[in-house]
Amino acid sequence: MSSGPVVAMVWQGLDVVKMARMMIGETNPAESLPGTIRGDFCVDVGRNVIHGSDSVESARQEISLWFRPEELTCWEDAAERWIYE
């Protein structure tokens, strides 16, 4: 995270850590599927372009490194009740 510009963000949603990890791909880009961020844009583990928390607990800790609580906004999508049971 010190080799170039960083965009820090917080995602929310149902099983968000699991879903984010699926989109990001395996830590080792060689093991990442095509269509994942690491599978399409990474070559080396040490330069894997993206980081994603591996659990809700580590996400909370990592979020606090970048954001103060008052900078975070939780929101509810109006369509959520039509999508999730």
Side-chain angles (χ1 to χ4, degrees):
M1 290 184 276
S2 62
S3 63
V6 173
V7 176
M9 61 180 79
V10 179
W11 297 350
Q12 72 179 49
L14 182 65
D15 294 325
V16 69
V17 172
K18 177 182 174 184
M19 299 307 293
R21 303 285 297 175
M22 287 174 54
M23 291 188 298
I24 290 170
E26 299 295 324
T27 300
N28 182 349
E31 298 172 1
S32 293
L33 295 172
T36 64
I37 295 168
R38 290 181 180 148
D40 289 352
F41 301 107
C42 302
V43 177
D44 186 74
V45 173
R47 301 275 189 252
N48 66 15
V49 187
I50 190 167
H51 170 75
S53 302
D54 61 0
S55 69
V56 173
E57 295 77 28
S58 63
R60 285 189 180 111
Q61 180 183 6
E62 293 170 355
I63 290 166
S64 71
L65 297 173
W66 296 94
F67 300 97
R68 295 185 307 269
E70 61 271 15
E71 294 177 306
L72 300 173
T73 303
C74 291
W75 63 279
E76 185 176 326
D77 185 350
E80 187 172 314
R81 63 190 177 107
W82 298 101
I83 298 171
Y84 302 110
E85 290 187 41

